[in-house]
Amino acid sequence: MGKWIAGAGLLYVLYGLFFYWYLFMTGESSVPEALKGTSADPATFMNQRELILSEEYSKIKDFLFFFRIPFEWFLFFILLTAGLSKKMKDWAEQTSRRRFIQIAAYVFCLFLIVALASLPLDWISYQYSLDYGISTQTTASWIKDQVIDFWISFPLTLGAVLVFFWLIKKHEKRWWFYAWCLTVPVTLFLFFLQPVVIDPLYNDFYPLKNKELEHHILKLADQADIPANHVYEVNMSEKTNALNAYVTGIGANKRIVLWDTTLNKLDEPEILFIMAHEMGHYVMKHVYIGLGGYLLLSLAGLFVIDKIYKWIIRRHGRRFNIKSKADLAALPLLLLLIGVVSFASSPFTNAVSRHQEKAADKYAIELTKNKKAAVSTFQELSKAGLSEANPPFLVKIFKYGHPTIMERIQNVEQGSK
């Protein structure tokens, strides 16, 4: 047991050292010679201080991203190997004779351990965003969001865990397929529910105050044949200086949403370009394509997880103090596998997302016919978020669901030739 934990700890440290070396010492993020002095070169739209802060903050943020991802995997591994998961299961089974209560007690305990163990890393990330002027959120507000995250994630995870253990007990060979069948209606329901139930827990949403701007946005939506009656703004300036806008929800709960930071920092042509970009996603049905892709990918993911889960329990179940596939103590193993498979698939999902974002940019330029506004919008997005214009390769493939700022500006410039 000690050797396994020590080995996992050493592997985690080496992983962290690799990404520190890669991001701070060798990761290539300089501007290509051919683009120096062009509108895609950050030196043309950022001052010297912004350039330095952008480089520093991007490296820190990216390192924390990569370091944070396997942290929960390592924690789950320790819980399994040290026998702590079994002890938690034994405690949960003593709380009640009802299986539902036992599972709820175990999941709550596991969630609490993960939340408390992850809190220092989350706090460090929050502090860096404050130090570099990205976040404007008070500590009380940040803590409130952490609590909301916990109480949204806990019941959703509990429901999924209850279904998993019921299915694997009743349908051991095909549990993964039946679980996937259930994810379809649940995912659609959450998409429908999010704009009106979940999002308002974090921020205040209200109809766009600038009615003249709303009129221009709705006129643009009419040109794109998009049924829309209202545009919403959200008070994100209480939490961040970054800029954003999005279309969320499906069916009757579909919403066009603008962050108030976007309204405060961009002029009307730039805002209309962002709105046209979001309309492009709607017109090209990216939400539904993305949803369909997610469901197909989750089907393949559940199949792979099923094979690995059963193999590990068959080969190493005793070492991990797991008696059977339906043993509650095996939950950390399942969550670990879900995390690893999701991370492994992220280069593919990010590549698809970048393709869709590029298509939406092209649509927005065609709709607004304002390439100057497109370029200035991308430049302002980069400045507001202190984003690297040309991030290192591994950062791009594992983290970026959008093309880089440099690529987006290049696409606009090349399209004008």
Side-chain angles (χ1 to χ4, degrees):
M1 180 187 73
K3 290 181 179 179
W4 277 59
I5 293 176
L10 178 61
L11 189 63
Y12 187 35
V13 170
L14 291 175
Y15 166 90
L17 289 174
F18 167 77
F19 273 103
Y20 182 87
W21 168 79
Y22 177 74
L23 293 171
F24 289 90
M25 299 179 185
T26 65
E28 182 57 45
S29 59
S30 59
V31 177
E33 284 295 327
L35 295 178
K36 287 186 177 179
T38 68
S39 56
D41 182 357
T44 64
F45 59 85
M46 286 186 179
N47 58 42
Q48 192 62 34
R49 182 173 180 274
E50 288 171 332
L51 288 170
I52 294 172
L53 291 178
S54 174
E55 183 178 0
E56 290 178 353
Y57 180 66
S58 294
K59 288 178 178 179
I60 293 169
K61 179 178 62 175
D62 294 338
F63 176 73
L64 288 172
F65 168 80
F66 282 108
F67 192 76
R68 176 71 169 79
I69 284 173
F71 178 77
E72 288 185 8
W73 311 346
F74 179 62
L75 185 59
F76 291 146
F77 184 81
I78 290 176
L79 290 174
L80 288 167
T81 309
L84 297 175
S85 182
K86 180 181 181 301
K87 291 179 180 179
M88 289 162 55
K89 180 201 73 170
D90 293 341
W91 166 78
E93 289 178 344
Q94 293 173 7
T95 61
S96 173
R97 292 182 179 180
R98 294 179 180 273
R99 182 65 170 168
F100 167 80
I101 302 287
Q102 293 173 2
I103 294 176
Y106 179 94
V107 173
F108 181 81
C109 185
L110 181 63
F111 251 65
L112 195 60
I113 289 172
V114 172
L116 293 175
S118 304
L119 193 60
L121 284 175
D122 294 337
W123 176 259
I124 289 170
S125 180
Y126 163 64
Q127 286 298 317
Y128 270 116
S129 66
L130 280 177
D131 293 342
Y132 281 85
I134 303 300
S135 176
T136 60
Q137 191 172 18
T138 64
T139 301
S141 174
W142 182 81
I143 293 173
K144 177 187 173 184
D145 282 355
Q146 301 302 304
V147 173
I148 292 173
D149 285 345
F150 183 93
W151 286 109
I152 288 177
S153 300
F154 169 66
L156 291 175
T157 304
L158 175 59
V161 171
L162 287 166
V163 169
F164 165 74
F165 281 112
W166 179 78
L167 286 175
I168 203 165
K169 188 174 181 179
K170 297 289 185 180
H171 309 281
E172 182 180 325
K173 291 185 178 180
R174 293 285 183 269
W175 73 266
W176 57 273
F177 178 73
Y178 296 123
W180 177 79
C181 290
L182 289 173
T183 65
V184 177
V186 171
T187 302
L188 289 172
F189 178 70
L190 290 177
F191 260 76
F192 183 79
L193 206 64
Q194 182 172 336
V196 294
V197 176
I198 299 176
D199 289 346
L201 294 175
Y202 294 90
N203 298 96
D204 296 326
F205 291 78
Y206 34 82
L208 185 61
K209 297 174 184 176
N210 187 334
K211 295 305 175 184
E212 183 179 353
L213 176 60
E214 182 181 49
H215 171 74
H216 291 155
I217 292 172
L218 293 177
K219 184 178 179 181
L220 203 63
D222 186 59
Q223 288 178 241
D225 293 322
I226 296 175
N229 298 316
H230 298 289
V231 179
Y232 292 84
E233 62 179 284
V234 54
N235 62 332
M236 287 301 297
S237 58
E238 294 181 359
K239 297 183 178 181
T240 182
N241 283 316
L243 312 179
N244 198 15
Y246 58 91
V247 176
T248 186
I250 56 176
N253 284 350
K254 182 175 71 275
R255 283 185 172 184
I256 299 174
V257 180
L258 274 163
W259 287 12
D260 61 348
T261 51
T262 304
L263 293 167
N264 296 334
K265 295 182 181 180
L266 299 185
D267 59 28
E268 185 171 303
E270 292 167 337
I271 293 172
L272 290 178
F273 172 78
I274 289 179
M275 286 288 93
H277 170 95
E278 298 302 329
M279 292 171 191
H281 286 306
Y282 178 88
V283 169
M284 291 179 277
K285 303 188 186 312
H286 286 167
V287 171
Y288 297 100
I289 293 171
L291 183 59
Y294 162 76
L295 291 173
L296 287 176
L297 195 62
S298 64
L299 176 62
L302 285 170
F303 174 78
V304 171
I305 288 168
D306 170 65
K307 300 303 178 186
I308 300 175
Y309 179 75
K310 290 176 180 176
W311 179 83
I312 291 177
I313 292 178
R314 188 167 58 251
R315 290 289 300 272
H316 303 289
R318 183 176 299 177
R319 190 184 300 273
F320 290 144
N321 301 284
I322 298 172
K323 294 180 180 178
S324 68
K325 303 173 188 69
D327 189 347
L328 186 56
L331 181 58
L333 173 61
L334 180 68
L335 295 176
L336 189 157
L337 292 176
I338 291 172
V340 171
V341 170
S342 298
F343 181 66
S345 65
S346 60
F348 171 74
T349 56
N350 285 339
V352 172
S353 177
R354 288 194 299 270
H355 174 76
Q356 292 183 336
E357 295 296 337
K358 181 179 179 180
D361 284 345
K362 182 179 179 182
Y363 179 89
I365 293 169
E366 292 172 353
L367 186 62
T368 62
K369 297 178 173 55
N370 194 337
K371 292 173 181 176
K372 182 179 178 182
V375 170
S376 61
T377 297
F378 296 142
Q379 292 173 340
E380 289 299 323
L381 286 170
S382 183
K383 290 170 64 176
L386 292 180
S387 304
E388 274 187 308
N390 187 31
F393 176 72
L394 290 180
V395 175
K396 177 181 174 180
I397 66 170
F398 280 105
K399 190 179 176 186
Y400 274 52
H402 288 70
T404 67
I405 293 296
M406 187 173 290
E407 290 171 336
R408 300 179 86 171
I409 295 175
Q410 272 185 282
N411 291 335
V412 174
E413 298 291 353
Q414 290 172 356
S416 65
K417 294 180 181 179

